[in-house]
Amino acid sequence: MTAADRPLSVEELSVAYGERRAVDRLSFAVEPGEIYGLLGSNGAGKSSTIKAIVGLVRPVGGRITVFGLDNAIDPIRVKASTGYVPETSLLYEALTPREFLEFVASVRRLDPGTTTERVRAYATAFRLAGEFDEPIVALSNGTRQKVLLIAAFLHQPPLLVLDEPLNGLDPRSVRLVKEMLVRYVADGHRGVLFSTHTMEVAERLCHRVGILDRGVLRGEGTLEALRSRVAAGDATLEEIFLELTDEGDGVRAAVDSLGEP
Amino acid sequence: MGWREAARLSGLAFAELSLQAIYAFRQGNPVPPGPAHALAARARRRVLESKAIVSAVLAFLAAGAAFLVRAAPLASGVYGTPVRPGVFDTGVVTGLLSLDLAFLWWTGMQILPTFLSSGVLPVLEPLPIDERTLRRAAALLYVRLFDLPALTVLVGTPLALGVALGPLVGLAVVPGALAAVAFALALSLLTGRFFVRRVQGSRGGGGRTIVRWAYLVLWLLPAFAVFAFVTAAPALFDLLGHVGGDTGPLSAGRLLLVAFPVPLAVLPAVAATGPGGLGLGPAGTVAVLGACAGYGGLAVGALAWVAGSVARVGHVPVRSSTAGPLANEPIRARRAAFAVLVKDLRIASRTPGYAFVILLPILDALAIGLYTFGSAPSPDEALGLALGAVATAALVATFFGPAFFAIEVFAYSYGRTLPVTDRSVVLGKVGLVVGMYLAAAGIVLGFTLARVFDPALFAVFVLAELPAVGAAALFELGVLFWRARTKGLPITNLYSGAWVAALVAVPGVVIAGLPLLAFRLLGAGRFSVGLEAMALVAIAELAVVGPLALGRRER
C-alpha cells in the first residue's frame, strides 16, 4: 500500500496554544476501509488534533497527509478530499439548511443534479423536510448536527473527519449515522476518523481506537489488542481506557472524596 | 442581591461579550496564542477603542454644532435668506439631537446581533440569581454597550454648547441629550427584537426575500438623518422662523414645535437669545413646555422599558420551525466566487448591520436621484449632480467594504475547512462591492435620464471609476484576509472592529477617490481629458492592487 492509498497519516504532530502544548508528537494513521476512533477525556487533545487535520489550527510540529497530500503544502486539495463535522454546530446561522448546502455544494464544485438528489435523500433520511427552509438560527442543536452531517457526506469524500458527530442527535439518528458509517467504509478505500468520549459507541463502531491522554497517545489498536495489552481478556473499552490513562484509581478516589450523597 | 451585585454580574458578562465580539469564539474561531488574561485585556481594549471612535464622531458633531451657533450671524446667511439667531440655534440643536439619536441607534443596530448571539444572558439565567438582579444586570450590560458614546452625548453636547454660548445654554440642552440617549437605547432594543423575530427568523424563498429587504429598507431610514437634515434645513429654518405667526393648533409651525426634538432644542435657543428669540407667544410657549414634559415622561418610560426588557430580549426565540414537506426545488451549485456573493447577500438579508452596508449607497443614490428629479435642474446641472452621486456611491461602497469580511466570521472555523480559496472569497466580496456601485449608478442614471443629458458621457464616467472601486475593495479585503490568516483576529462587526476597519477603509477610500480627484483637477477645462485621466489612474490602481491581493499562494 502506498501513501496515496492511506486516507490519513499523522506523524509527530504537535499543537500548542501559547505555552500550553495540547498535542505532543502524536502519530497514528487511518487505513483504507477503517473507522478509527480517537478517544480521550475532555481536554485530552482530540479536538486540537482534528482541527489541525482540517486546517483550523497550525501545528507547531509534525506532518499530516491525506491520501498522500500534505495539508501544509496542498490544503485546498486536502479539504476537497475531506468531509468534516465539527465538535460544535458552527454554521452560517442566517442561512437556511438549503442555502447552506447550496453554498457548500458550490465551493465543492458539485454537479447540481446529483447534489439535488443526494440532498433530497439525506434530508428525507434525517427527517429534515419541515426544517429545510427555516433559518439555521431557529433550529435545535440536533437538527444543526444533521445539517452538518449532510454537508460532510454531500461530496462523498474519501476521508470523513467527525468530531463528536453524535452530539445532540436523537436515538434514531444515532443509529442511522452509525449504519451510514459502516456502509461508507465498506468499499475498502475510504476512511473515517471518529472522535468521541463515549466508549460504548467506539467499542461497537470503530475498527481500531487510539487513546489520547494530555496530548499523548497512550495506546492504539483493535479492542482485542488493547485487551491483551492490559492483560484483561474480557475488559470493556472503558476499563481499558481508565487503565491506560491511569484514571481508574483517580475515579475511585474522587468518588470516595465526595462522601455519602 | 441588589444593584451592586447586578453591576458585578454585568461586568463579568461584558468581559465575556467583549471576548465574543472581538475573537468570535462562538463562531468557532480558535483561541489565539497567549495567556487568557492578556486576551481578555486585549478584547476590552479593542472594544474601548471602537467605542472611542464612535464617541469621537459624536464629539465632532457636538463641536460642529457649537461652532455653528457661535458663528450664527455668519452662518445664518448660508441659505441665502436671513435667519434670526434664535431660529438658527433651534435648527442647529434640532439637527444635532436628531443626529445623536440616529447615530446611537445605528450603533445599537451594529451591536445587537453580536449581543444576541453571544449568549451571555442565557448563561446567567440558570444561576441562583433572583429575577430582579438578573433584570438589572441585563439592563446594565445593555447600557455598557453604549456607555462612552452615550456619555459623550450627555456630557459633550452640553459642554460644547455651554462653551459656545454660556453655561445656561449648556444646562438647557441636557433634557434634549437625555431624551436622545433614552430613545436611542429603546429604539435599538425595540427594532433589534423586531428584526430578530421577523427578519432573522424569516424562511427562505423568493417572495420572503423581497419582504425581508423591504423591512431592511425601513430599518435603515435613521441612517439618512444627516442627508435628510441637510436637505430639509432651509424648509426647517423657514418654518421655525414663522412659528410665532402660526396660530392654528394643527398648523405646520405648531406641529413642528411639538415634534421631537424641536421643543427640546428650543430650550437652549431660548436660554441663548431670550424668550423673544423665536417669537413663540404664550400658546407656543405652552406647546413647547408641554411637549418637553411629554418627551421627558416618554424618555423615563423608555428607560424603564429597556431596563425591564433586555433580559427577555437577550435570548429571544427566533421562531419555532414548522412541519411540512420538503420543497421540490433543485440545489443550485454556482461558481465559488459567485456562491460567496450569493451567500453574503442571503446573510445580509437577515442581518440588518450588513444590509445597511449594502443598501446605503443604493438608497443614497435613490435619495439624490429623487432630489435631482424633483428639483428640475438644467441638463448640465443634472449631469453634475449625477456624477456627484456616482462618486458618492463609489466612496460609500468602498468605505464599508471591510464589513463584508466580517460576514465570514459568522462561521469562521467551518468556512476555513471548505476547499474555497481566499481568492474566490475576496473576488465574491469585491463583486458585491462593485455590484452595489453599479446598482447605485444605474438608479442615478434612471432618474437623471428624465432630465435629458448625455447618457454615454455618464456611462464613461461610471466605467472609468469602476476599476478604482474594484481596486479599493480588493485592497481592503485582501489586507483583512491576510491579517486574519496571519494574526487569527477577525472583526465581528463594524463596531467591535472599528479600528481595524478604519485602518483599511481609509486607504480604500483614498484609492477610490484618487481617480475622482484626477477628474476634478484635469476635467475642469476639458471633460474628456478629465475622464481619460480618471480611467488611467483607476486602471493603474487595479493593476497594482489586483496582483497583490490575489496573487499570493492559496491557503
Side-chain angles (χ1 to χ4, degrees):
Chain A
M1 187 180 64
T2 65
D5 298 323
R6 179 169 284 145
L8 176 67
S9 173
V10 174
E11 299 161 44
E12 298 280 307
L13 175 72
S14 292
V15 176
Y17 301 105
E19 296 297 307
R20 193 172 71 83
R21 191 158 280 230
V23 179
D24 193 16
R25 288 180 295 167
L26 174 67
S27 296
F28 68 93
V30 176
E31 303 297 342
E34 182 179 61
I35 301 176
Y36 185 100
L38 202 55
L39 310 183
S41 312
N42 297 327
K46 303 186 300 292
S47 291
S48 294
T49 303
I50 284 179
K51 282 177 180 168
I53 291 168
V54 298
L56 280 178
V57 296
R58 200 170 295 169
V60 292
R63 184 166 179 258
I64 298 164
T65 55
V66 173
F67 291 97
L69 298 168
D70 191 322
N71 84 341
I73 295 168
D74 206 348
I76 299 296
R77 285 177 69 194
V78 167
K79 288 171 185 176
S81 306
T82 309
Y84 168 57
V85 172
E87 183 184 18
T88 43
S89 314
L90 303 162
L91 297 159
Y92 295 98
E93 299 210 332
L95 299 181
T96 65
R98 180 190 301 281
E99 292 165 351
F100 173 70
L101 292 170
E102 272 191 3
F103 174 65
V104 172
S106 298
V107 298
R108 291 197 180 281
R109 300 172 189 203
L110 303 183
D111 169 65
T114 315
T115 308
T116 301
E117 288 308 310
R118 240 178 239 164
V119 165
R120 187 177 301 281
Y122 282 125
T124 307
F126 278 112
R127 295 181 176 166
L128 265 183
E131 288 131 329
F132 211 60
D133 290 299
E134 297 286 344
I136 289 169
V137 70
L139 304 181
S140 68
N141 282 339
T143 308
R144 291 171 187 219
Q145 195 73 359
K146 292 175 188 175
V147 175
L148 277 168
L149 281 159
I150 296 174
F153 277 98
L154 196 58
H155 57 302
Q156 305 280 292
L159 173 67
L160 278 172
V161 179
L162 311 176
D163 196 356
E164 305 280 2
L166 306 179
N167 276 356
L169 293 182
D170 55 76
R172 181 189 170 277
S173 300
V174 168
R175 183 63 180 266
L176 177 68
V177 173
K178 288 197 282 192
E179 294 285 335
M180 281 166 65
L181 291 176
V182 170
R183 284 197 193 184
Y184 202 70
V185 295
D187 70 345
H189 299 292
R190 294 171 179 151
V192 174
L193 176 66
F194 186 99
S195 146
T196 183
H197 45 219
T198 311
M199 299 299 147
E200 292 80 4
V201 172
E203 195 169 334
R204 291 179 184 201
L205 191 64
C206 300
H207 298 102
R208 284 192 308 144
V209 296
I211 294 174
L212 205 56
D213 180 38
R214 280 161 281 189
V216 176
L217 198 63
R218 300 287 179 199
E220 185 193 43
T222 61
L223 188 58
E224 288 70 32
L226 290 170
R227 276 179 181 145
S228 64
R229 184 166 164 188
V230 298
D234 58 349
T236 64
L237 189 54
E238 182 179 281
E239 288 162 341
I240 295 168
F241 176 84
L242 293 173
E243 178 73 25
L244 288 176
T245 56
D246 295 328
E247 295 280 15
D249 293 339
V251 171
R252 277 184 289 277
V255 171
D256 291 343
S257 73
L258 293 173
E260 290 300 315
Chain B
M1 286 188 271
W3 280 105
R4 183 174 293 186
E5 179 64 5
R8 194 183 69 81
L9 287 170
S10 76
L12 287 171
F14 188 73
E16 169 65 13
L17 186 61
S18 302
L19 267 175
Q20 294 295 343
I22 300 299
Y23 294 110
F25 297 134
R26 275 186 185 269
Q27 278 81 23
N29 197 40
V31 183
H37 65 85
L39 291 181
R42 201 193 303 169
R44 274 199 298 270
R45 195 172 60 246
R46 287 173 59 81
V47 167
L48 190 65
E49 283 169 4
S50 297
K51 283 182 186 175
I53 290 173
V54 175
S55 304
V57 175
L58 289 163
F60 176 76
L61 288 174
F67 171 78
L68 281 176
V69 293
R70 180 79 184 165
L74 173 73
S76 60
V78 166
Y79 290 107
T81 49
V83 179
R84 278 178 290 157
V87 171
F88 187 74
D89 291 354
T90 305
V92 170
V93 177
T94 296
L96 176 62
L97 294 177
S98 305
L99 291 178
D100 285 343
L101 169 64
F103 206 70
L104 281 174
W105 187 2
W106 181 80
T107 303
M109 205 170 75
Q110 286 286 314
I111 304 168
L112 263 158
T114 306
F115 174 64
L116 294 173
S117 65
S118 67
V120 290
L121 292 178
V123 169
L124 291 178
E125 186 142 300
L127 299 175
I129 303 166
D130 66 85
E131 199 177 328
R132 178 187 281 188
T133 306
L134 193 66
R135 231 179 16 243
R136 287 174 175 174
L140 287 176
L141 173 65
Y142 184 68
V143 169
R144 286 178 91 131
L145 298 174
F146 296 86
D147 52 8
L148 201 54
L151 215 59
T152 306
V153 173
L154 293 175
V155 177
T157 304
L159 198 67
L161 290 175
V163 168
L165 296 177
L168 193 61
V169 177
L171 275 177
V173 83
V174 169
L178 274 169
V181 170
F183 293 157
L185 293 183
L187 283 169
S188 296
L189 196 61
L190 191 71
T191 47
R193 189 172 66 166
F194 173 79
F195 277 91
V196 164
R197 284 181 178 162
R198 293 295 176 88
V199 177
Q200 205 176 357
S202 160
R203 285 171 64 93
R208 292 186 192 92
T209 306
I210 294 167
V211 172
R212 279 205 302 279
W213 281 107
Y215 277 137
L216 288 164
V217 169
L218 284 178
W219 166 266
L220 300 186
L221 290 181
F224 281 82
V226 179
F227 181 81
F229 183 71
V230 171
T231 308
L236 177 70
F237 287 129
D238 187 48
L239 267 176
L240 283 172
H242 293 93
V243 288
D246 277 344
T247 49
L250 290 175
S251 65
R254 193 57 50 81
L255 287 176
L256 182 70
L257 263 187
V258 296
F260 182 84
V262 176
L264 294 160
V266 166
L267 298 180
V270 167
T273 58
L278 265 170
L280 287 178
T285 306
V286 168
V288 165
L289 291 177
C292 284
Y295 286 123
L298 204 58
V300 171
L303 286 178
W305 178 78
V306 167
S309 304
V310 179
R312 288 198 303 275
V313 176
H315 46 92
V316 57
V318 175
R319 267 168 67 127
S320 57
S321 51
T322 51
L326 187 62
N328 192 23
E329 282 179 38
I331 297 289
R332 298 177 195 86
R334 305 169 171 91
R335 294 185 70 83
F338 189 53
V340 169
L341 190 156
V342 171
K343 176 207 47 145
D344 284 1
L345 273 176
R346 283 171 165 167
I347 288 175
S349 78
R350 294 191 182 94
T351 317
Y354 297 113
F356 169 84
V357 174
I358 291 173
L359 288 174
L360 185 65
I362 295 169
L363 290 181
D364 186 51
L366 191 65
I368 296 175
L370 277 169
Y371 177 76
T372 309
F373 188 76
S375 60
S378 68
D380 278 354
E381 288 170 333
L383 179 61
L385 279 168
L387 299 189
V390 170
T392 307
L395 296 176
V396 171
T398 47
F399 181 75
F400 287 109
F404 298 119
F405 168 78
I407 287 182
E408 283 313 296
V409 180
F410 276 122
Y412 195 63
S413 101
Y414 189 82
R416 282 165 61 200
T417 68
L418 295 172
V420 59
T421 60
D422 279 1
R423 177 182 295 188
S424 295
V425 180
V426 169
L427 279 176
K429 290 169 191 296
V430 170
L432 193 52
V433 173
V434 168
M436 285 155 51
Y437 165 71
L438 289 176
I443 288 170
V444 176
L445 176 66
F447 276 106
T448 43
L449 271 181
R451 293 284 157 222
V452 189
F453 69 92
D454 187 354
L457 206 59
F458 178 86
V460 171
F461 183 89
V462 170
L463 290 175
E465 174 63 5
L466 189 62
V469 173
L474 275 171
F475 169 82
E476 293 168 342
L477 293 159
V479 169
L480 285 170
F481 271 91
W482 167 79
R483 188 182 163 86
R485 294 288 192 243
T486 54
K487 309 269 184 189
L489 201 65
I491 55 169
T492 51
N493 61 55
L494 280 183
Y495 184 69
S496 66
W499 187 240
V500 180
L503 274 180
V504 293
V506 172
V509 168
V510 170
I511 292 172
L514 276 178
L516 298 168
L517 188 67
F519 174 77
R520 180 83 185 160
L521 292 176
L522 301 171
R526 291 178 61 195
F527 207 74
S528 60
V529 173
L531 280 177
E532 283 166 15
M534 186 179 172
L536 273 176
V537 173
I539 291 167
E541 285 177 337
L542 188 61
V544 172
V545 175
L548 283 175
L550 300 174
R552 295 189 320 278
R553 189 164 68 97
E554 295 298 349
R555 301 197 50 90

